[in-house]
Amino acid sequence: MSFELPKLPYEYTALEPHIDARTMEIHYSKHHQAYVTNLNNAIAGTDAEKLSIEDICKNISKYSAPTRNNGGGHFNHSLFWSIMGPNKGGNPSGKLAEAINHDLGGMDKFKEEFNKAATTRFGSGWAWLCVKDGKLAVCSTPNQDNPLMDISECKGTPILGLDVWEHAYYLNYQNRRPDYCAAFWNVINWDEVNKKYEAAL
Ligand code: MN
């Protein structure tokens, strides 16, 4: 068994003007593909070949640095593509909206906290909305780490993630990471985030 690049659920142009087609194409077909290829090479012939990517992440301290970097890269990007879509954005509804009000002080406070996590992450990494002990929490991780990993300072089940590596925005936004983070809210597929929230509870 080896890991495969998951099918992108929309066209490269689908998230324009917020995320441009060229960035999407390179990010998905080159960067994510490289994480998948390098992950498969890193785990070839080991017991990790029989595990899900979630289970590899949860026990990442037992594995090599290439498995951590590329396994994280594969999980993180798979989640990232799934929680975006064309003609999305707006506000969440249902149980997730209630939880954002209850656990994070409302949508405005959540956006502020998430944008802060994304813009202040030094160098490369990710901002996350997670479920931890039944409650929502916002945090960030460096490189391709994620909150599933046993070595992560920030732990939980991620339900929304934003890639803040320069490869995710530099073609369109150059050094303006805050503009990219602001644009992200226009492409979030809240129905999918809601599904992940209910599954994580
Ligand atoms: Mn990326």
Side-chain angles (χ1 to χ4, degrees):
M1 278 282 287
S2 58
F3 290 102
E4 287 180 5
L5 188 65
K7 193 171 159 32
L8 195 67
Y10 37 78
E11 301 294 319
Y12 293 140
T13 54
L15 307 182
E16 289 199 337
H18 310 293
I19 301 181
D20 64 285
R22 185 78 176 130
T23 296
M24 281 300 301
E25 181 177 4
I26 298 169
H27 200 178
Y28 170 76
S29 70
K30 305 293 183 191
H31 289 275
H32 191 173
Q33 180 63 63
Y35 295 124
V36 171
T37 302
N38 293 333
L39 171 63
N40 286 331
N41 290 338
I43 64 173
T46 75
D47 65 348
E49 280 187 307
K50 301 186 191 81
L51 300 177
S52 68
I53 190 60
E54 288 81 3
D55 284 339
I56 292 174
C57 288
K58 285 174 187 171
N59 293 291
I60 205 70
S61 60
K62 295 180 184 163
Y63 297 103
S64 64
T67 303
R68 174 175 169 178
N69 293 335
N70 294 289
H74 177 44
F75 175 86
N76 297 349
H77 289 84
S78 299
L79 183 142
F80 188 48
W81 312 133
S82 77
I83 54 84
M84 298 190 290
N87 307 311
K88 301 293 182 186
N91 287 310
S93 58
K95 284 187 180 175
L96 178 62
E98 287 169 29
I100 288 171
N101 287 335
H102 187 266
D103 298 340
L104 301 174
M107 196 62 192
D108 289 347
K109 273 196 152 178
F110 161 51
K111 282 174 98 164
E112 191 180 319
E113 194 180 350
F114 189 90
N115 283 340
K116 190 178 171 194
T119 53
T120 61
R121 163 55 55 192
F122 185 76
S124 298
W126 291 74
W128 303 103
L129 175 64
C130 305
V131 179
K132 188 184 180 189
D133 302 326
K135 289 197 161 192
L136 292 175
V138 170
C139 64
S140 76
T141 53
N143 304 313
Q144 294 296 355
D145 288 355
N146 65 53
L148 288 178
M149 291 182 174
D150 58 356
I151 46 78
S152 180
E153 277 180 32
C154 143
K155 287 198 187 63
T157 303
I159 61 170
L160 174 74
L162 176 59
D163 188 345
V164 297
W165 283 56
E166 285 186 346
H167 70 224
Y169 61 88
Y170 213 84
L171 287 179
N172 197 27
Y173 294 95
Q174 294 82 46
N175 62 319
R176 304 188 311 277
R177 189 193 287 186
D179 291 355
Y180 160 72
C181 294
F184 174 62
W185 297 94
N186 296 308
V187 296
I188 297 176
N189 180 348
W190 287 113
D191 289 340
E192 190 58 35
V193 182
N194 224 323
K195 274 186 209 162
K196 290 187 193 301
Y197 173 66
E198 299 213 22
L201 285 179

